[in-house]
Structures are given as structure tokens and as C-alpha cells.
Amino acid sequence: MTTFLLTSAVILMTPGPTNTVLAASGAARGLREARLLPLAEAAGYALAISFFVFVAAMVSGLWWALPAMKIAASAWLALSAVRLWSASPDMVQSGSGAYARVFFTTILNPKAMIVGTMMIPQTTGDEVTLRIASFVLLSTLAGIGWVALGSSLPGSIKRHSYKGAAFILGGFSLAAITSAFA
């Protein structure tokens, strides 16, 4: 379980689509207004990881299933990178729109697929539930950190944060597509 928690923490600290949205929301709205957005992230991860644990059990004998999921994740990362490249912190939605954006970005986040298909073994229901709950709790803590990071960025960096994130996501997309064919 210790390895799972450490790996989860590293994954959650890695820049990605959800973390980018959280940081951008923190930059645009400030820590006080964006502080509850990690709850939308937690709900998204709980739903998505549970789904992927279920799917992994169903397709475990299909040689092509995991590469297909990696290709889908790569496509999502590439699309996210393109969207972020043309976005700006001024485009971050306020109110319930921000919660929906974080929730749906998290549901489609390839990290959920990695956790649900590779990091949670097909064991007892209690073990699966404990791992999902642990990841969700860690995601909430990490999400607060990403919001705080975004809110603390100087104005000159806030303007370029989406382009930097797009570049990073493009790299993740290339890594995911490469691993699908490895």
C-alpha cells in the first residue's frame, strides 16, 4: 500500500489536464474562490477510476484492450494540448462552470485510466475500495496545492501558463502513443 500511495502522490503532482485547469482557476479566480474545485476533481476521479477498475477486469484477456485505451488517452492529451495552446487564463469559467470543467476534465484524464487499469490490482472489493478512496483523498490534497500554486503565480507567468502546460501535455501524448505500440 505504501508503494501505491507514493506512486499516487507522484502522479497527482505531475502536470496534466486536471492540474492545469485547477492551477488556471487559481490564477484567474484566486485561492479563496477556487478552493473548493478539488472536490469536483475528487468526484471525477472516484467515478472514472471505479469505471476503469471494472473495465480492466472485463478486458483482462484481450491483448488489444490496454493499447487501445492508451491510444484513446493519447488522443485526449493531444486534444487538451491543442485547446490549452489557444486558451488564456481569462477563459477560465467562474461559478458552476468551473466545477463542471474540472469534473469532466478529470473523468477524461488519462491518469484515471492508469490508476484504474494498472495501479489497482484485481483483488478483494475492500482492497479496491481502500485504494480508490486513498487516491481520491490524495487528489483533493494535491488539487488544493495546484489551486494555491496557480493563485500565487506572478502576472507575467500567468499569461504564458497555458502554453507551457500545452507543451507538457503534448509530450505526455507522445509518450502515451509510443507506449501503446511498444
Side-chain angles (χ1 to χ4, degrees):
M1 186 68 168
T2 302
T3 302
F4 174 79
L5 293 173
L6 291 173
T7 304
S8 296
V10 169
I11 286 172
L12 290 164
M13 290 187 285
T14 303
T18 301
N19 294 339
T20 302
V21 172
L22 290 170
S25 294
R29 300 173 70 199
L31 181 59
R32 183 179 169 128
E33 286 187 37
R35 74 185 183 280
L36 296 178
L37 287 176
L39 297 177
E41 174 192 27
Y45 273 132
L47 182 64
I49 292 170
S50 297
F51 170 78
F52 282 116
V53 166
F54 176 74
V55 168
M58 291 186 62
V59 301
S60 63
L62 303 175
W63 67 267
W64 53 267
L66 189 57
M69 287 185 207
K70 288 180 180 180
I71 291 168
S74 174
W76 171 252
L77 286 171
L79 177 64
S80 295
V82 169
R83 287 181 178 169
L84 284 172
W85 187 264
S86 62
S88 72
D90 299 333
M91 295 173 63
V92 177
Q93 294 142 325
S94 61
S96 62
Y99 290 96
R101 183 173 183 176
V102 169
F103 178 75
F104 287 112
T105 298
T106 304
I107 285 176
L108 298 169
N109 193 329
K111 290 178 186 180
M113 181 189 72
I114 291 167
V115 173
T117 61
M118 293 190 240
M119 290 178 55
I120 298 181
Q122 299 298 317
T123 60
T124 66
D126 290 342
E127 179 73 16
V128 169
T129 302
L130 177 62
R131 287 178 184 249
I132 292 172
S134 298
F135 190 87
V136 167
L137 177 63
L138 286 173
S139 77
T140 304
L141 297 173
I144 292 167
W146 282 99
V147 170
L149 175 68
S151 68
S152 67
L153 290 173
S156 60
I157 293 176
K158 286 180 187 178
R159 289 184 310 205
H160 304 292
S161 61
Y162 276 24
K163 295 224 187 288
F167 184 75
I168 291 167
L169 289 180
F172 287 145
S173 176
L174 290 174
I177 196 76
T178 301
S179 73
F181 295 107

